[in-house]
């Protein structure tokens, strides 16, 4: 029997794998959360498939998304990343990835973990939405606006409400698999 999936992922093997194995699955690991935060911020203004295709290159370029290492990057590393043709070469996004790694370290000092900080926005459990089709899924919500503002106040950069909502979906803070999708309600 064929699995019925969210419409957005049916045109690519990469999308299908991402949809089936990651999107909407609750994530609690700080390093994985940082990875998704970086990828979502680099995606701003671009197609998510572009990011997924470059994901392994991003992993190599950003030291496997080890935020403690990335937080130590200096200008020479920024210049190196700007020359890396395998990633998105955008100075603002690169500098934000470094800045946001530093901000995660501060969050950990205050909340114990980046995960604990993020999950408190949803009361510790995923928000499971019941959208009928993908066109009904919002690009941002009041909660993503609140989270984006709080992140900004804590020093994070390049993370507006739309990027944060995509991040929330990607990391399972929100489950937006549509009602007919085999993953609906199964990721929580």
């Amino acid at each position: 029997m064929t699995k019925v999936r969210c419409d957005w992922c049916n045109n690519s093997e990469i999308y299908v794998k991402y949809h089936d194995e990651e999107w909407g699955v609750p994530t609690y690991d700080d390093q994985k959360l940082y990875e998704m935060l970086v990828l979502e911020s680099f995606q701003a203004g671009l197609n998510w498939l572009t990011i997924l295709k470059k994901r392994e290159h991003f992993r190599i370029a950003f030291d496997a998304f080890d935020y403690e290492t990335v937080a130590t990057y200096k200008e020479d590393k920024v210049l190196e990343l700007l020359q890396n043709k395998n990633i998105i070469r955008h100075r603002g996004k690169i500098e934000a990835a470094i800045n946001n790694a530093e901000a995660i370290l501060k969050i950990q000092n205050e909340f114990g973990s980046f995960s604990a900080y993020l999950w408190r926005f949803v009361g510790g459990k995923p928000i499971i939405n019941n959208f009928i089709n993908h066109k009904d899924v919002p690009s941002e919500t009041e909660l993503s606006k609140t989270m984006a503002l709080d992140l900004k106040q804590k020093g994070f950069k390049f993370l507006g409400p739309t990027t944060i909502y995509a991040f929330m979906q990607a990391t399972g803070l929100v489950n937006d698999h549509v009602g007919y999708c085999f993953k609906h309600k199964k990721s929580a």
Side-chain angles (χ1 to χ4, degrees), residues 96-107:
I98 298 165
N99 175 83
N100 295 346
E102 295 167 359
I104 285 176
L105 295 174
K106 292 175 187 167
I107 291 274

Side-chain angles (χ1 to χ4, degrees), residues 115-127:
S115 176
Y117 163 77
L118 292 170
W119 281 94
R120 70 187 180 89
F121 283 97
V122 294
K125 62 182 183 177
I127 295 170

Side-chain angles (χ1 to χ4, degrees), residues 30-48:
D30 281 3
Q31 190 163 335
K32 179 70 174 172
L33 289 164
Y34 173 67
E35 174 181 350
M36 295 314 295
L37 195 71
V38 170
L39 294 176
E40 290 292 352
S41 69
F42 271 90
Q43 186 272 333
L46 301 171
N47 181 295
W48 184 240

Side-chain angles (χ1 to χ4, degrees), residues 5-16 19-20:
R5 295 176 174 87
C6 297
D7 290 341
W8 61 263
C9 74
N10 288 324
N11 64 347
S12 163
E13 273 186 54
I14 295 171
Y15 264 162
V16 168
H19 171 274
D20 289 2

Side-chain angles (χ1 to χ4, degrees), residues 33-90:
L33 289 164
Y34 173 67
E35 174 181 350
M36 295 314 295
L37 195 71
V38 170
L39 294 176
E40 290 292 352
S41 69
F42 271 90
Q43 186 272 333
L46 301 171
N47 181 295
W48 184 240
L49 187 57
T50 300
I51 301 302
L52 288 178
K53 288 178 178 178
K54 293 178 176 284
R55 188 177 195 177
E56 290 307 314
H57 296 293
F58 273 102
R59 273 198 185 110
I60 294 165
F62 285 91
D63 290 292
F65 297 105
D66 179 345
Y67 52 85
E68 290 178 344
T69 300
V70 175
T72 68
Y73 287 2
K74 304 293 182 228
E75 181 63 18
D76 59 330
K77 183 65 173 184
V78 172
L79 294 173
E80 176 189 318
L81 291 168
L82 285 169
Q83 297 304 311
N84 186 335
K85 294 178 182 170
N86 296 314
I87 66 168
I88 307 301
R89 296 178 293 172
H90 185 288

